[in-house]
Amino acid sequence: MSATYGRIVKDGLWENNGVLCMLLGMCPTMAMTGTGTNGLGMGLATAAVMAASNLMVAMFRNWVTHEVRIPVYILIVAANVTFVDLVMNAWMHELY
């Protein structure tokens, strides 16, 4: 019985911990942002990419076959990241 509880604790704290995975994913962001303004700009750009990508994936979900679904979704996210990058370079050059 205690081995089961130990396994549950190990899974919850280490192997299936979504918060830890998200925190590890933030390491490049924290390394690139030296000020609060840069961090806020990167956060807003990330939120814009996520919102636009989710909207486009929802729009194209019924048209894309299961065989090519993941590559199409990757292309959608990459296109949105490129678009936001170019917009920031054009109009928010100090933040870029």
Side-chain angles (χ1 to χ4, degrees):
M1 185 102 160
S2 82
T4 305
Y5 289 128
R7 180 69 182 165
I8 291 171
V9 169
K10 183 180 175 190
D11 282 346
L13 292 177
W14 188 250
E15 293 180 10
N16 294 325
N17 191 344
V19 175
L20 179 64
C21 292
M22 287 185 249
L23 183 65
L24 290 174
M26 292 295 294
C27 288
T29 304
M30 293 188 309
M32 294 303 296
T33 57
T35 64
T37 305
N38 290 345
L40 179 64
M42 183 174 260
L44 291 175
T46 303
V49 167
M50 296 273 297
S53 296
N54 285 329
L55 180 68
M56 291 179 74
V57 164
M59 286 176 13
F60 294 129
R61 180 184 322 236
N62 296 326
W63 295 338
V64 177
T65 62
H66 291 286
E67 292 82 16
V68 295
R69 183 164 284 181
I70 292 176
V72 168
Y73 291 169
I74 290 172
L75 287 174
I76 288 172
V77 172
N80 283 319
V81 167
T82 302
F83 177 74
V84 168
D85 182 54
L86 291 173
V87 166
M88 287 181 66
N89 191 12
W91 287 297
M92 295 175 253
H93 196 66
E94 295 82 20
L95 185 60
Y96 178 78

